[in-house]
Amino acid sequence: MQVLTEEEIIGDQKRNLNPHCWVANYADYLFTYAFSRINDEERARDLVQDTFLAALEKLDNFEGRSTERTWLTAILKYKVIDVYRSRASRTPNGSEKEVHDGSQQNFFDSVHGNWNQEYWPKEIGIEEPSTLITKEFNHILQQCMKKLPALWISVFTMKHIDEEVTSVICTELKLTPSNFWVIIHRTKVNLRACLQKNWI
């Protein structure tokens, strides 16, 4: 059995690029990736088309160190970050105020830094998820996220869906670390309140 060198593997991946099959092979996956992050079907479709066009323009830059799908996903990821950045730049500074689903609530014990007992997190009901329950939960989560300011959604998505490091998020969205942590905290509190009202 012949073992290929790294250079031969990279060369094979570069030669095997096939733009004619991109739509059939990757459009659905890329659409799902984009939609799960920006929650806008039309914009997600546009981003997938933009990704294919950008990839065609950059064919010569493909180094073959990843698969076609990974390369296309990386291009799409930067386009999604551009959407986040655009949304964040249109968000006035004052929009970081509390957005509670219901009345103002004192969730935390300021002395001990823990949840107040009446606000202890409840089980959400997806601890042992079935496909149907997960789909329903994700739909409600998306509806809850729509109630948040665009900047909060961008920060939360980059942190908890894309698993970006804090420094990258702060750089991309032009936030200070303290602003980042305030936004993440407020987003979680508001999402939790919305989920407990609409799911549990």
Side-chain angles (χ1 to χ4, degrees):
M1 180 175 169
Q2 182 183 4
V3 177
L4 297 176
T5 66
E6 183 179 352
E7 290 79 16
E8 289 171 325
I9 293 170
I10 290 171
D12 281 348
Q13 289 186 345
K14 287 183 79 165
R15 283 188 296 276
N16 290 332
L17 272 182
N18 191 353
H20 298 291
C21 296
W22 286 351
V23 172
N25 292 342
Y26 309 118
D28 288 344
Y29 168 79
L30 295 173
F31 172 79
T32 301
Y33 178 96
F35 180 71
S36 69
R37 285 154 177 80
I38 62 172
N39 200 20
D40 180 332
E41 285 188 27
E42 186 175 336
R43 188 75 180 107
R45 286 191 192 95
D46 290 344
L47 289 178
V48 172
Q49 290 178 3
D50 292 347
T51 297
F52 290 145
L53 289 173
L56 283 172
E57 293 170 358
K58 298 176 183 178
L59 277 176
D60 292 339
N61 296 344
F62 179 66
E63 296 178 355
R65 297 187 181 278
S66 63
T67 64
E68 254 182 340
R69 181 171 123 161
T70 301
W71 180 59
L72 292 168
T73 304
I75 293 171
L76 177 58
K77 178 181 177 181
Y78 285 105
K79 294 194 173 296
V80 168
I81 289 173
D82 287 342
V83 171
Y84 294 157
R85 194 180 297 120
S86 172
R87 288 176 176 175
S89 68
R90 289 194 311 260
T91 303
N93 292 335
S95 71
E96 292 179 17
K97 66 183 185 306
E98 297 285 346
V99 178
H100 283 292
D101 192 346
S103 59
Q104 291 277 354
Q105 296 164 327
N106 187 13
F107 288 103
F108 298 103
D109 176 345
S110 59
V111 175
H112 300 102
N114 298 323
W115 291 98
N116 282 323
Q117 187 169 357
E118 63 268 30
Y119 297 115
W120 280 356
K122 300 173 187 172
E123 289 187 357
I124 295 179
I126 59 167
E127 286 70 27
E128 295 180 16
S130 73
T131 304
L132 180 61
I133 289 174
T134 302
K135 186 175 180 181
E136 290 174 358
F137 175 79
N138 285 336
H139 173 73
I140 291 171
L141 176 61
Q142 291 294 329
Q143 296 305 311
C144 288
M145 288 180 71
K146 284 181 180 179
K147 298 177 181 181
L148 300 173
L151 177 60
W152 293 17
I153 296 170
S154 299
V155 170
F156 181 82
T157 304
M158 288 181 78
K159 181 67 176 175
H160 294 290
I161 295 178
D162 294 335
E163 298 180 345
E164 286 287 0
V165 295
T166 302
S167 59
V168 169
I169 298 170
C170 289
T171 300
E172 294 293 344
L173 300 181
K174 297 179 174 55
L175 295 172
T176 65
S178 60
N179 284 346
F180 167 84
W181 290 112
V182 167
I183 290 170
I184 280 292
H185 167 74
R186 291 179 178 175
T187 302
K188 288 179 179 179
V189 167
N190 281 278
L191 283 177
R192 181 177 160 249
C194 181
L195 287 170
Q196 288 190 173
K197 178 178 178 183
N198 294 288
W199 176 255
I200 298 174

